[in-house]
Amino acid sequence: TCSLQISGNVMTGSEQVLVNDWCQQFPSHSIGTLLFGRDGYLYVTGGDGASFNNVDYGQYGNTYAGDQANPCGDPPGGVGIPLSPPGGEGGALRSQSVRRTDGPATLDGTVLRIDPATGAGVSGNPFFASLDANARRIVAYGLRNPFRITQRPGTDELWIGDVGWNTWEEINRVVAPASPTASNFGWPCYEGSSPQGGYQGAGLSLCSSLYSTPGSVISPYYTYNHGACVVNYTGCHTGGSSITGIAFYQSGSYPSQYNGALFFADHTRNEIWAMLPGTNGLPDPS
């Protein structure tokens, strides 16, 4: 389990644990970014904590020999009970946990909007009326590893770099975090703009209900394929990919055409790109 701990500039007395409810089953896809929004609230991202090599719906133990299956106790089984399709709701499907009806929401694969003094969800959050304390914190979900996020200057928008699996890297946009409807970006049922083949083929109920409901998942603002160059030039990098940096540029020493551009970086490719603003001021994928 991962915990989020915030301290002031001068550390006195004991620490105050604000949030301690991510299930970290595998050694990756953990907490990513802490960001204070212009509304004064704290935004926190966390990955799915699931297997990064296999289709994972709760059938595995942890990474250590002898660990019991389903260590997070995801429904419909308990700790020690390996899950199976169609009802398995563990593993990467924790990213969809706010939708399940037979167990509490987890914080895996989500973006939180919380009170920095208490760690509680705040008014305006999509699930603020829920009896589930974790659900009250969530403003976006269905993410694999939202390692880095940023806020577009002058707005409340969140822009998320979500590290993909085998095929697609994503940039996702949350237009209004304080909204009646949370943003669901579809992982693991979707990767990029299309159903993820491994999870679709497993016949999982949490995914099937998304496939049968048009408009239930928000498509990425921008994607790039692992096998393609983002910008074509001699020697451009392809293959393994991990979007791991995202920031807006306002003004400064760069030429004025970069003002308002979204810079994003890929650690595996060792490249940085700029998505220049279009006529509407938003970064233009073209």
Side-chain angles (χ1 to χ4, degrees), residues 20-54:
N20 184 21
D21 214 1
W22 289 268
C23 186
Q24 186 63 33
Q25 184 178 352
F26 286 82
S28 186
H29 300 185
S30 184
I31 295 170
T33 297
L34 305 179
L35 169 72
F36 284 100
R38 68 172 192 164
D39 55 11
Y41 293 121
L42 179 64
Y43 292 82
V44 186
T45 69
D48 62 9
S51 172
F52 38 84
N53 293 320
N54 305 294

Side-chain angles (χ1 to χ4, degrees), residues 139-160:
V139 296
Y141 63 103
L143 296 157
R144 182 173 183 264
N145 187 16
F147 187 62
R148 291 290 178 261
I149 64 170
T150 192
Q151 196 167 55
R152 187 161 74 94
T155 76
D156 293 322
E157 294 175 7
L158 300 177
W159 290 67
I160 306 166

Side-chain angles (χ1 to χ4, degrees), residues 197-250:
Y199 286 90
Q200 183 182 35
L204 296 154
S205 297
L206 271 181
C207 289
S208 298
S209 57
L210 291 181
Y211 302 144
S212 62
T213 310
S216 58
V217 167
I218 299 174
S219 293
Y221 188 87
Y222 176 73
T223 61
Y224 60 95
N225 189 287
H226 290 199
C229 295
V230 173
V231 176
N232 288 305
Y233 67 94
T234 301
C236 67
H237 299 173
T238 61
S241 303
S242 56
I243 184 169
T244 42
I246 188 165
F248 279 93
Y249 179 81
Q250 292 182 273

Side-chain angles (χ1 to χ4, degrees), residues 67-129:
D67 281 347
Q68 52 196 337
N70 191 24
C72 298
D74 292 300
V79 174
I81 300 175
L83 305 183
S84 59
E89 296 178 341
L93 285 163
R94 285 192 292 271
S95 294
Q96 296 290 326
S97 68
V98 77
R99 296 176 50 235
R100 60 194 188 188
T101 59
D102 52 357
T106 78
L107 303 180
D108 301 280
T110 66
V111 179
L112 313 182
R113 178 175 178 256
I114 59 176
D115 184 328
T118 67
V122 295
S123 178
N125 285 3
F127 303 107
F128 187 66

